Amino acid sequence: MMEWMLLPLKRYADFSGRSRRKEYWMFALLNVLVILAGILIGLLLSGGSADYASMSGGWMIAAALLGIWFLAIFIPSLAVTVRRLHDRDLSGWWYLGMVVASAIPFVGFIASIAFIVVTLLPGTDGPNRFGPDPKNPAQADVFA
């Protein structure tokens, strides 16, 4: 399971090819776990006080650590999302369209739900224009 979480980091800036649902969603789970750990660190270092307004030292440290994490995963997050779209036989430019659409009130809500649905759908069977099927790469040459 951990190898699926770290695979997007190994393929740091690889925007070509395809990524399975498992790779995409395990990376999302890793990010959620890191955010929860950052909140826990902030709570522990601030003495259990969730006083965000004063931004005590504990919360500052947690915010700095999470900021470093988000900077480190920015490119891999873009890459795994583009590869996930490739698995559905969609261009990576659809991601930019979804980001732009998300900035529009009401349309953004619908676009966000549509994007989540697209990432939840299974990839195309067999090879597509972006590469072999990551679920069954051996299948590509069977009927060629």
Side-chain angles (χ1 to χ4, degrees):
M1 185 164 96
M2 192 69 171
E3 63 270 3
W4 288 103
M5 289 180 171
L6 298 177
L7 187 58
L9 296 174
K10 291 178 185 173
R11 298 175 68 184
Y12 191 82
D14 181 11
F15 289 86
S16 62
R18 298 166 63 174
S19 287
R20 294 176 58 182
R21 284 183 290 185
K22 190 173 194 175
E23 178 183 351
Y24 180 82
W25 287 108
M26 285 303 209
F27 188 63
L29 176 62
L30 174 67
N31 288 319
V32 168
L33 294 175
V34 168
I35 291 168
L36 291 175
I39 291 170
L40 183 64
I41 288 170
L43 279 172
L44 291 174
L45 293 178
S46 67
S49 171
D51 184 15
Y52 298 107
S54 67
M55 284 302 282
S56 65
W59 287 112
M60 295 290 268
I61 292 169
L65 291 173
L66 286 175
I68 291 168
W69 172 256
F70 287 124
L71 285 175
I73 65 156
F74 180 71
I75 301 291
S77 295
L78 287 175
V80 75
T81 304
V82 167
R83 289 193 312 267
R84 181 72 200 117
L85 289 172
H86 286 176
D87 195 37
R88 292 281 313 140
D89 204 16
L90 296 170
S91 169
W93 289 105
W94 278 94
Y95 187 42
L96 178 62
M98 290 293 183
V99 170
V100 170
S102 294
I104 302 169
F106 185 69
V107 173
F109 179 71
I110 303 297
S112 297
I113 290 173
F115 189 72
I116 290 171
V117 169
V118 166
T119 60
L120 286 170
L121 292 172
T124 56
D125 288 332
N128 66 17
R129 61 187 167 142
F130 298 106
D133 188 352
K135 265 188 167 177
N136 191 5
Q139 180 187 18
D141 296 324
V142 173
F143 297 108

